[in-house]
Amino acid sequence: MSLIGLYPCSNISAPTALSITSATFCSLLAVTAVTGNVLILLAVIIDPNRNLRSPFNFLVANLAAADLIVGCVALPMSVEFYIRESLTEKITLLPRDDVRRVSSFISTTASLFSLAALTVDRFIAITDPLKYKIKLTTKRAAIISFVLWIVSIGFPFLYFKVGYLKYQFVFANTAVVATFSVMCLTYTKVFKSFKKQVKNWDSLHHGRDSDNHLKIRAIKWEKKITKTFIIMLALFISCFLPSLLLIYVISFCGSCNCIFIHWARDLNYILIMANSSMNPFVFAWRLRPYRKAFSKILTSGKVVTKLRSASLQMSQSMNSLSLGPTVSGTYTTNTTSSDSPL
């Protein structure tokens, strides 16, 4: 029996213990997502060691921005929802629940597409290293990021037409499957390319000139970044594959117990949100430039001074703009009773 678009347990309240547990997990994920992704953004923007200004790190910052929205908007609003759910027998959906849903879809879509873009970046860097810097410039990285955000913002508004559960099913079978396919196919080709280049790389060790030394360092760095993204791929699979299966359970299991359905609903959501809090810590663990940048940001008073200076300059700019002419300018929802309360 197909339940796509219908939540079979909309009239049965979730167990209080489940709502409290989900609120607790979302709180922890919000703290880790905000902390880690703010550090990533500061590391790239401030660049205290002057070694993170590159198109690759620009895409990393784009991923961090998407994951930061999860930590700042989607997860705190989810905590409020679960607390509200635990205090009432039957949850009533409010307009802010639509804001929470759309923000989580936008940020998750942007995060997925950013991972796909970074995967393609790794593919070009490994398979065609000589032309990598020509093919991926900062301008092109900015254009990719702009297009990525336009699609990520526009696509989730389909939710208002088809409803939460139908859109969630579409999201799982398009954005998630597409990103998974791109990452797996790309890394398969990357491994094949590694095997072909091993013999050429080994020959570099026989030379002692400075050019060979620089090539060896560059190769080791690219390998380390690629291995980092393989770990991120593993985390992506561990979060999104179970989530995908749970979406199918909710959509097709008409005979499942409602307590099980509520657990599947919350676990599916938490797994998706969890992926956004993991990526910064993978960078900190695997890549020394990020570790050094984080350390300097957290311990250096100069960074605080830079932030205050930037804030003061922005304030002065806003004051100067306020001297000029100003221009001042409904939000409706269409939530059906058959929608999931999450």
Side-chain angles (χ1 to χ4, degrees):
M1 177 182 177
S2 177
L3 298 173
I4 299 175
L6 299 172
Y7 190 68
C9 302
S10 57
N11 295 321
I12 300 175
S13 59
T16 302
L18 171 61
S19 299
I20 293 172
T21 301
S22 298
T24 302
F25 273 105
C26 285
S27 300
L28 294 173
L29 290 174
V31 172
T32 54
V34 170
T35 303
N37 289 296
V38 164
L39 282 173
I40 289 284
L41 286 170
L42 288 177
V44 176
I45 294 169
I46 298 173
D47 194 14
N49 297 313
R50 301 184 181 279
N51 58 358
L52 293 176
R53 293 289 174 87
S54 68
F56 166 77
N57 290 304
F58 189 92
L59 292 174
V60 170
N62 194 68
L63 173 64
D67 290 339
L68 184 60
I69 294 174
V70 172
C72 290
V73 181
L75 283 168
M77 294 185 77
S78 297
V79 172
E80 185 272 337
F81 169 82
Y82 286 124
I83 292 173
R84 182 157 40 96
E85 184 181 55
S86 69
L87 298 175
T88 57
E89 291 186 2
K90 184 179 178 181
I91 190 69
T92 301
L93 291 174
L94 302 174
R96 63 174 175 268
D97 291 315
D98 289 299
V99 176
R100 172 176 56 83
R101 289 170 168 180
V102 171
S103 66
S104 64
F105 279 130
I106 290 173
S107 54
T108 306
T109 304
S111 180
L112 288 173
F113 289 167
S114 296
L115 280 172
L118 283 164
T119 302
V120 174
D121 170 274
R122 291 298 82 214
F123 174 71
I124 298 171
I126 295 300
T127 59
D128 198 357
L130 296 177
K131 295 183 179 179
Y132 173 65
K133 290 185 178 180
I134 299 173
K135 287 184 176 180
L136 190 69
T137 62
T138 302
K139 183 179 179 180
R140 286 182 179 176
I143 292 172
I144 291 168
S145 298
F146 178 76
V147 172
L148 182 154
W149 278 101
I150 291 295
V151 175
S152 299
I153 292 170
F155 188 54
F157 279 92
L158 179 64
Y159 151 75
F160 289 109
K161 274 198 169 185
V162 301
Y164 177 69
L165 286 176
K166 281 186 179 179
Y167 180 79
Q168 188 182 48
F169 189 80
V170 171
F171 171 77
N173 287 278
T174 52
V176 175
V177 172
T179 303
F180 177 76
S181 300
V182 167
M183 292 177 78
C184 288
L185 290 172
T186 302
Y187 279 118
T188 300
K189 291 184 177 181
V190 165
F191 281 128
K192 288 181 179 179
S193 178
F194 264 133
K195 287 182 180 180
K196 289 180 181 178
Q197 294 181 27
V198 163
K199 292 181 180 180
N200 294 332
W201 293 352
D202 288 341
S203 65
L204 295 176
H205 291 276
H206 299 296
R208 295 185 177 182
D209 57 21
S210 59
D211 286 343
N212 277 358
H213 180 68
L214 290 174
K215 287 178 182 178
I216 292 169
R217 286 187 61 185
I219 289 167
K220 286 182 178 179
W221 173 243
E222 294 298 341
K223 283 185 69 175
K224 195 168 187 66
I225 293 178
T226 303
K227 286 180 180 179
T228 300
F229 276 93
I230 291 170
I231 294 170
M232 291 175 69
L233 172 61
L235 292 173
F236 174 86
I237 293 171
S238 65
C239 287
F240 279 92
L241 184 59
S243 176
L244 186 63
L245 295 175
L246 289 170
I247 289 172
Y248 274 90
V249 169
I250 295 169
S251 298
F252 292 101
C253 187
S255 60
C256 289
N257 181 282
C258 278
I259 293 178
F260 173 77
I261 291 293
H262 283 307
W263 275 96
R265 177 203 69 173
D266 288 10
L267 184 58
N268 158 54
Y269 184 77
I270 289 171
L271 282 171
I272 292 174
M273 296 295 102
N275 190 250
S276 295
S277 65
M278 295 177 179
N279 295 329
F281 299 98
V282 175
F283 283 108
W285 169 42
R286 292 288 303 175
L287 302 179
R288 185 177 295 176
Y290 277 97
R291 288 201 300 273
K292 288 184 176 180
F294 292 167
S295 177
K296 190 166 272 191
I297 287 169
L298 293 171
T299 58
S300 175
K302 291 181 181 180
V303 172
V304 177
T305 304
K306 282 185 179 181
L307 289 173
R308 287 177 179 173
S309 176
S311 176
L312 181 61
Q313 288 177 3
M314 185 178 293
S315 176
Q316 290 173 347
S317 299
M318 292 299 292
N319 288 336
S320 64
L321 287 172
S322 66
L323 296 175
T326 59
V327 179
S328 59
T330 55
Y331 172 78
T332 60
T333 62
N334 185 24
T335 303
T336 61
S337 60
S338 63
D339 244 353
S340 166
L342 179 58

